[in-house]
Every structure is written in C-alpha cells, then in structure tokens.
Amino acid sequence: LSGNPLAMRAGFSLLSALQQNQSIYTALDQKTAALANGLNKAFTEAGIPVVINRVGSMMSIHFSEKPVTDFGSAAASNNDLFKKYFHHCLSQGIYLPPSPYESWFICQAISENDITKTIEATGSFVNQL
C-alpha cells in the first residue's frame, strides 16, 4: 500500500506531539467528565432517566433506566427523546451526533464556555418537557 507522504508525516508529527505532551489526555478527560457530570445533573434533577457512558474523551447519552452496554440495550432506550434533545441542542447552535447510537468525541477545541453552553441548553431542554 502506498500512502500520501505528507499525510503520513502529519500523522507522525501529531502522534509525536501527543507522546511528548501526555497532559493533553488529562485535559480531555477532565473536559469530558465536566460535560458528562453537568448533563447527568441536569437530567437527573429533572427526573429524566439517563445513562451516560464515558471513557476518556468519548461519551454517549442514552435515555434509559437500565445500563446501556450493547445495541439491544441502546435500542431499548427512549430514542424519541434523544431526537428531541438533539434538535433542541441544534436550535441552540450545539451540534451533537444525530443518532443515539453514535459517540460524542470531545476535543481540545471545545472550551469551558462550550461545555457550559451545552449544559445550559440541556437545562432549557428539560425545563420545556
């Protein structure tokens, strides 16, 4: 297989930078934890059953009272509520993965203000239900 040398060099440079700066993983984990905790609090205080699965900078949200561990348990979640949540966030300028079967990937470009805005949009969503 032949690859684009510039793309390969860019990928190698990125991986080298990440290896030299392990704190980026800690920062991403902290951002994702803050977002997951804020969303969980908003839904829980509103009495909306939610399961937020999270590892590192990846998370998923399911409106369910039971653990979500596979496709079957994800399909059994309240996916109609997820659609409403997605469209509410979209109307607030927040672009989430459009499917409850997709993961959210948090990156360094997401600021504390973005996290706060997402949590606030979630609060306004639960208040309209």
Side-chain angles (χ1 to χ4, degrees), residues 30-52:
Q30 290 171 345
K31 283 182 181 185
T32 310
L35 179 59
N37 291 338
L39 297 178
N40 188 58
K41 182 179 178 186
F43 289 123
T44 301
E45 287 180 354
I48 298 171
V50 67
V51 173
I52 299 177

Side-chain angles (χ1 to χ4, degrees), residues 12 43 47-48 101 120:
F12 179 77
F43 289 123
I48 298 171
Y101 303 107
E120 288 173 351

Side-chain angles (χ1 to χ4, degrees), residues 11-29:
F12 179 77
S13 295
L14 174 63
L15 291 174
S16 296
L18 289 172
Q19 186 175 29
Q20 293 171 8
N21 185 8
Q22 293 286 313
S23 65
I24 195 167
Y25 294 108
T26 302
L28 284 170
D29 188 60

Side-chain angles (χ1 to χ4, degrees), residues 63 79-100 104 121-122 124-125 128:
F63 296 108
N79 294 326
D80 289 333
L81 184 58
F82 183 90
K83 290 175 191 175
K84 291 176 185 175
Y85 177 60
F86 167 80
H87 286 289
H88 175 81
C89 286
L90 190 60
S91 75
Q92 303 295 308
I94 299 166
Y95 297 84
L96 305 177
S99 168
W104 302 21
T122 301
S124 69
F125 172 73
Q128 74 178 14

Side-chain angles (χ1 to χ4, degrees), residues 57-113:
S57 61
M58 183 173 66
M59 62 184 249
S60 62
I61 294 181
H62 306 276
F63 296 108
S64 177
E65 294 179 5
K66 298 179 181 177
V68 175
T69 58
D70 56 19
F71 179 78
S73 52
S77 299
N78 186 342
N79 294 326
D80 289 333
L81 184 58
F82 183 90
K83 290 175 191 175
K84 291 176 185 175
Y85 177 60
F86 167 80
H87 286 289
H88 175 81
C89 286
L90 190 60
S91 75
Q92 303 295 308
I94 299 166
Y95 297 84
L96 305 177
S99 168
Y101 303 107
E102 296 181 53
S103 293
W104 302 21
F105 295 94
I106 309 307
C107 68
Q108 279 298 92
I110 295 176
S111 68
E112 286 185 28
N113 187 51

